[in-house]
């Protein structure tokens, strides 16, 4: 059983250690086929892959760093090297592997297929390692992905956390989300759900999650640690460090992502074709499954509470739409003359409903206070964004000082 190992690398000194860890810890290293997009600087020596020139397991695309167009473009380049291998593993170029990782991952896929899942996909923000303290610095518990937020540009952000009670679990656990730094699934995924080369960075993972789901793939997190990822990228040059116009690619990608999901009143585009949604399930199927509503940038409480998908099936459309928390954005405007002290510890910043019940609180710490009081003009603007099921009707800013403790509350209606 061949495994097509996909790696997009940008000037990464961890690339060769990643390859070696992958090969040395595989149960069947001869069955690995590497597709690598190596984006290199001629002065760098740490990512020289010439030792693999005569190894027929390796297909390497060498790209001068100034010709690189972002990680999604690089991943797409790698996917063109797929040659009908039975499985595929997509990773970053800064990873470490558990012993017999290949046998373990194939076994998990087989487990799920025996339970009636035709197209299982294993993914996740996998546990971390520290290149300066390896293997001692490896986290030894498996992680899952949970919802964090919709960012202003429309993409969904996630957070990693330990899988609850993982010691007692015997199967991979269901996932709503996809991680581009670890994906193991059927090889044909490399053809069916290719990365859009016009995406840049943010938006990559939520778009692939939905596209995979609509192509009939079911997402899971491994319940055991099989592979590690280095998250900090300390000391490594990123593509946006070298590309002075990276932000243009990023803005264009965010627009493509919003169009894919029909967000912010945009007409849904790209839902057909090579980089669009699949035909086995719909976008609404994914929204019901995951508890996300893209058109409203909204999320269900069931998802916020980190319960495993699928979310409960709605009785009807209206009940389903009413079950979402809304994103509330607000700027509290206050005259600077309200703040006469120089020893503020923090300001309590609170939003309340029509009954005076607290809906949300996020205090301004000392650093934020200094920034607010140092802006030009006579007014300060305290900006808050949060998910809420209630309707905020008023706000409170309640300063606290070292010398006088609680000061008078500043309040207003919304």
């Amino acid at each position: 059983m061949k495994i097509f190992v996909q790696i997009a690398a940008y000037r990464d000194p961890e690339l060769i250690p990643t390859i070696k860890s992958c090969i040395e810890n595989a149960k069947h290293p001869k069955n690995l086929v590497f597709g690598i997009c190596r984006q290199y600087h001629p002065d760098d020596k740490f990512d020289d892959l010439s030792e693999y020139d005569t190894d027929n397991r390796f297909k390497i695309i060498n790209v001068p760093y100034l010709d690189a167009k972002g990680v999604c473009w690089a991943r797409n380049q790698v996917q063109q090297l797929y040659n009908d291998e039975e499985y595929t593993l997509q990773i970053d170029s800064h990873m470490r592997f558990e012993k017999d990782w290949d046998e373990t991952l194939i076994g998990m896929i087989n487990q799920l297929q025996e339970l009636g899942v035709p197209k299982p996909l294993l993914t996740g923000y996998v546990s971390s390692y520290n290149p300066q303290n390896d293997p001692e610095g490896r986290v030894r518990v498996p992680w899952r992905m949970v919802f964090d937020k919709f960012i202003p540009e429309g993409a969904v952000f996630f957070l990693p956390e330990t899988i609850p009670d993982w010691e007692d679990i015997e199967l991979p656990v269901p996932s709503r989300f996809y991680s581009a730094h670890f994906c193991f699934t059927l090889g044909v995924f490399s053809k069916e759900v290719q990365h859009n080369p016009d995406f840049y960075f943010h938006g990559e993972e939520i778009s692939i999650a939905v596209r995979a789901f609509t192509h009939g793939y079911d997402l899971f997190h491994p319940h055991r640690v099989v592979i590690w990822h280095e998250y900090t990228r300390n000391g490594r040059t990123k593509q946006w460090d070298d590309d002075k116009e990276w932000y243009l690619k990023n803005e264009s990608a965010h627009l493509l992502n919003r169009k894919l999901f029909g967000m912010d009143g945009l007409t849904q585009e790209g839902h057909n074709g090579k980089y669009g949604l699949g035909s086995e399930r719909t976008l609404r199927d994914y929204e019901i499954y995951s508890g996300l509503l893209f058109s409203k940038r909204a999320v269900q409480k069931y998802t916020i509470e980190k319960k495993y998908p699928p979310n409960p099936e709605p009785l009807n459309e209206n009940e389903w739409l009413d079950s979402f928390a809304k994103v509330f954005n607000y700027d509290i405007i206050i005259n600077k003359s309200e703040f006469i002290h120089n020893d503020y510890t923090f300001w309590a910043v609170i939003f309340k409903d029509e009954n005076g019940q607290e809906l949300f609180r996020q205090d301004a710490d000392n650093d934020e206070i200094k920034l607010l009081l140092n802006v030009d003009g006579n007014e300060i603007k305290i900006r808050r964004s949060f998910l809420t099921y209630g309707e905020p009707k008023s706000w409170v800013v309640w300063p606290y000082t070292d010398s006088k403790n609680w000061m008078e509350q500043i309040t207003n209606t919304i």
Side-chain angles (χ1 to χ4, degrees):
M1 291 290 186
K2 298 285 188 181
I3 299 175
F4 177 52
V5 182
Q6 306 180 45
I7 306 177
Y10 189 87
R11 303 185 61 185
D12 193 348
E14 282 290 289
L15 172 58
I16 292 177
T18 294
I19 293 170
K20 292 187 180 299
S21 179
C22 182
I23 294 172
E24 291 168 1
N25 289 291
K27 180 78 169 180
H28 304 288
K30 292 182 179 180
N31 290 341
L32 304 181
V33 178
F34 289 85
I36 301 174
C37 182
R38 170 181 169 260
Q39 301 153 93
Y40 70 95
H41 191 290
D43 294 339
D44 296 338
K45 305 303 178 187
F46 46 68
D47 61 349
D48 179 5
L49 298 180
S50 58
E51 65 179 289
Y52 301 108
D53 284 349
T54 59
D55 191 327
N56 59 14
R57 294 174 298 177
F58 282 78
K59 305 173 184 178
I60 301 170
I61 303 171
N62 289 302
V63 179
Y65 77 108
L66 291 178
D67 294 335
K69 300 176 183 178
V71 66
C72 295
W73 172 85
R75 295 197 202 281
N76 179 274
Q77 294 292 300
V78 172
Q79 288 173 322
Q80 310 316 309
L81 304 175
Y82 172 67
N83 190 30
D84 295 329
E85 289 85 5
E86 288 87 351
Y87 299 99
T88 188
L89 170 69
Q90 179 173 286
I91 56 173
D92 280 350
S93 52
H94 27 275
M95 314 288 287
R96 294 292 184 270
F97 292 78
E98 181 64 281
K99 194 70 176 173
D100 298 339
W101 63 266
D102 50 340
E103 186 175 72
T104 301
L105 291 175
I106 291 174
M108 290 183 185
I109 293 291
N110 290 340
Q111 270 186 303
L112 292 167
Q113 287 181 320
E114 289 170 3
L115 291 173
V117 181
K119 298 165 74 173
L121 186 155
L122 301 171
T123 189
Y125 285 172
V126 296
S127 307
S128 64
Y129 80 97
N130 180 354
Q132 281 70 52
N133 182 30
D134 189 57
E136 291 75 17
R138 298 180 184 182
V139 172
R140 300 287 176 176
V141 298
W143 290 352
R144 64 175 180 170
M145 298 167 70
V146 296
F147 176 83
D148 179 21
K149 59 187 176 184
F150 281 92
I151 64 172
E153 295 81 3
V156 181
F157 275 17
F158 324 106
L159 291 172
E161 70 169 23
T162 301
I163 294 175
D165 304 318
W166 63 272
E167 300 96 332
D168 301 322
I169 297 173
E170 297 181 355
L171 286 169
V173 298
S175 170
R176 295 174 176 85
F177 307 126
Y178 171 93
S179 164
H181 77 234
F182 167 69
C183 165
F184 187 85
T185 186
L186 310 180
V188 71
F189 184 75
S190 303
K191 284 184 177 179
E192 290 185 332
V193 189
Q194 293 196 351
H195 281 261
N196 187 333
D198 291 327
F199 270 58
Y200 186 67
F201 188 69
H202 293 146
E204 169 192 32
E205 293 181 321
I206 188 60
S207 66
I208 295 292
V210 178
R211 290 177 56 215
F213 186 86
T214 58
H215 277 84
Y217 289 86
D218 290 292
L219 282 58
F220 294 87
H221 297 311
H223 59 300
R224 299 288 182 265
V225 179
V226 185
I227 192 168
W228 289 268
H229 179 257
E230 203 281 302
Y231 287 86
T232 69
R233 295 179 288 184
N234 286 337
R236 295 203 295 276
T237 304
K238 275 73 73 177
Q239 194 273 336
W240 52 82
D241 295 324
D242 292 328
D243 185 347
K244 302 307 180 187
E245 295 189 343
W246 69 270
Y247 63 93
L248 297 176
K249 300 182 182 72
N250 196 46
E251 290 172 0
S252 175
H254 280 307
L255 180 59
L256 284 174
N257 193 57
R258 293 195 298 273
K259 286 183 175 180
L260 179 67
F261 297 130
M263 299 178 71
D264 298 346
L266 295 170
T267 300
Q268 189 181 11
E269 296 180 7
H271 53 286
N272 296 315
K274 189 172 185 180
Y275 305 120
L277 305 181
S279 59
E280 295 191 36
R281 295 169 176 147
T282 66
L283 174 61
R284 181 52 56 91
D285 289 334
Y286 176 81
E287 290 178 322
I288 292 171
Y289 169 84
S290 66
L292 301 183
L293 182 59
F294 290 98
S295 63
K296 303 293 186 183
R297 304 190 192 205
V299 61
Q300 287 180 327
K301 185 177 180 182
Y302 188 92
T303 302
I304 295 172
E305 292 176 345
K306 306 175 185 178
K307 297 177 181 178
Y308 287 116
N311 285 35
E313 287 276 347
L315 294 177
N316 55 61
E317 181 81 356
N318 288 334
E319 179 196 65
W320 183 70
L321 291 173
D322 289 341
S323 69
F324 284 89
K326 309 299 189 297
V327 178
F328 182 76
N329 300 295
Y330 196 80
D331 292 336
I332 296 173
I333 309 296
I334 305 176
N335 196 288
K336 277 187 184 178
S337 62
E338 297 279 0
F339 303 98
I340 60 175
H341 298 282
N342 58 10
D343 63 339
Y344 292 109
T345 307
F346 66 93
W347 300 343
V349 181
I350 303 166
F351 289 83
K352 295 183 178 182
D353 64 15
E354 59 185 355
N355 298 316
Q357 296 298 310
E358 182 178 313
L359 292 175
F360 177 78
R361 173 174 174 174
Q362 181 184 336
D363 295 347
D365 61 17
N366 192 258
D367 289 337
E368 184 180 5
I369 292 169
K370 288 178 181 177
L371 289 173
L372 292 170
L373 295 179
N374 285 329
V375 298
D376 295 332
N378 296 322
E379 293 181 333
I380 65 170
K381 182 186 296 183
I382 306 173
R383 177 165 293 176
R384 292 293 183 262
S385 178
F386 55 94
L387 291 167
T388 178
Y389 289 93
E391 187 73 21
K393 293 295 186 180
S394 65
W395 54 259
V396 177
V397 175
W398 195 359
Y400 186 93
T401 70
D402 288 334
S403 58
K404 299 183 181 298
N405 298 329
W406 290 107
M407 307 302 296
E408 185 177 348
Q409 294 185 11
I410 306 166
T411 66
N412 209 337
T413 57
I414 295 173

